Amino acid sequence: MNICYILAMQKEAEPFITHYDVKKIEGAFAPLPCQLYQKQITDEDTLSVVVNGQQHGSSLVGCEAATLTTLKAIELLKPDLVVNSGTCGAFKENGADIGDVYIANAVMFHDRRVYGDDEWGTQTLGNYPLWKMSENVARALGLKLGKVTTGSSLDMQPCDLTVIKENDGELKEMEAAAVAFVCSLFHTPCMIVKSVTDLLDTSEETLEVFHKNLAFASEQLCNANVKIIDYITSNVKKG
């Protein structure tokens, strides 16, 4: 099985890259900034880790970079499964805590305000399909399930919160729906795995808490992804 992980930030990816000792493939996406790491992890399974890369000295985050990276990764690697993995904010009132790892059971946008008829509204929210085995994997491994909502900003405006609440969103982040959108166009199965760095319903400042918890959340994310890959390669056949 050809499994492709897509991550926004190098710091999110580093524990994963180190654990599997995946090798960097120089210039795989040149002249684009996204970076490819790859390894044959079993006789039948290949792991690719694709990171958005950097511009102006910082990691590229957000929907634009995620869309570009996913498009090029699918074109080049033709994966059987795309996994968007990364960090997110969550709500303490829903039982979330720092370092909790979730597998998405749904994904949508929360900040695309395009008003109009039902067709526009449907496109605006997205609600893209996810890999049919996602919930089975979560239950088998004892991981939490939750609806992921995606926006282009780290902060959360009152109108964003309204959309999240109205649609039962539980996790807020900046890439997943964009990855799922591209996967839907290629009919490529998509799975989403997120680890919590910050709690959105506390008084703490989001960016400060994000930086404070990023290393821990990334380690928890890596631990979960190792279990996920072990489960998939042992229990899921290609196709």
Side-chain angles (χ1 to χ4, degrees):
M1 191 173 191
N2 184 359
I3 304 170
C4 177
Y5 268 73
I6 294 178
L7 300 98
M9 299 180 63
Q10 195 71 27
K11 288 184 178 180
E12 294 171 326
E14 279 302 335
F16 196 46
I17 289 170
T18 300
H19 177 88
Y20 281 101
D21 192 29
V22 285
K23 302 302 182 184
K24 188 173 184 179
I25 311 299
E26 296 289 350
F29 296 105
L32 301 176
C34 31
Q35 303 294 319
L36 171 63
Y37 302 80
Q38 203 166 49
K39 185 176 182 178
Q40 191 80 22
I41 54 174
T42 74
D43 290 341
E44 299 179 344
D45 303 294
T46 301
L47 174 63
S48 300
V49 179
V50 184
V51 185
N52 285 351
Q54 297 190 344
Q55 189 176 47
H56 306 305
S58 60
S59 290
L60 286 162
V61 299
C63 297
E64 295 87 352
T67 299
L68 178 64
T69 298
T70 307
L71 171 66
K72 300 309 293 184
I74 292 176
E75 287 183 337
L76 178 67
L77 305 172
K78 296 177 174 52
D80 301 302
L81 173 67
V82 166
V83 184
N84 174 233
S85 182
T87 55
C88 67
F91 295 91
K92 187 176 181 179
E93 67 179 17
N94 291 340
D97 202 356
I98 303 300
D100 283 354
V101 178
Y102 288 75
I103 290 179
N105 55 14
V107 62
M108 57 170 277
F109 288 102
H110 63 248
D111 70 345
R112 297 205 294 183
R113 289 176 283 278
V114 183
Y115 304 107
D117 56 24
D118 289 345
E119 286 78 13
W120 279 102
T122 297
Q123 182 188 145
T124 297
L125 291 176
N127 286 313
Y128 302 107
L130 295 176
W131 186 39
K132 62 183 180 181
M133 292 293 293
S134 293
E135 294 190 25
N136 292 351
V137 175
R139 293 190 181 99
L141 299 178
L143 297 173
K144 293 185 174 183
L145 285 163
K147 186 171 187 176
V148 173
T149 77
T150 298
S152 293
S153 299
L154 183 65
D155 69 350
M156 180 172 61
Q157 297 301 309
C159 53
D160 298 335
L161 180 59
T162 298
V163 174
I164 292 170
K165 292 295 186 180
E166 286 179 347
N167 290 275
D168 299 318
E170 296 181 68
L171 309 172
K172 173 189 174 294
E173 54 79 79
M174 299 177 66
E175 290 89 22
V179 173
F181 162 64
V182 178
C183 287
S184 73
L185 299 179
F186 282 91
H187 305 289
T188 299
C190 178
M191 184 180 187
I192 297 167
V193 186
K194 297 290 172 177
S195 179
V196 177
T197 54
D198 53 284
L199 299 173
L200 302 165
D201 50 354
T202 66
S203 59
E204 295 182 288
E205 199 278 321
T206 300
L207 185 58
E208 180 180 337
V209 175
F210 169 77
H211 284 303
K212 181 176 74 173
N213 295 322
L214 179 58
F216 173 68
S218 297
E219 286 289 347
Q220 297 300 103
L221 187 67
C222 176
N223 294 339
N225 279 320
V226 170
K227 294 176 183 177
I228 288 167
I229 289 174
D230 287 347
Y231 181 87
I232 290 173
T233 55
S234 299
N235 296 281
V236 180
K237 299 300 182 184
K238 179 179 177 181

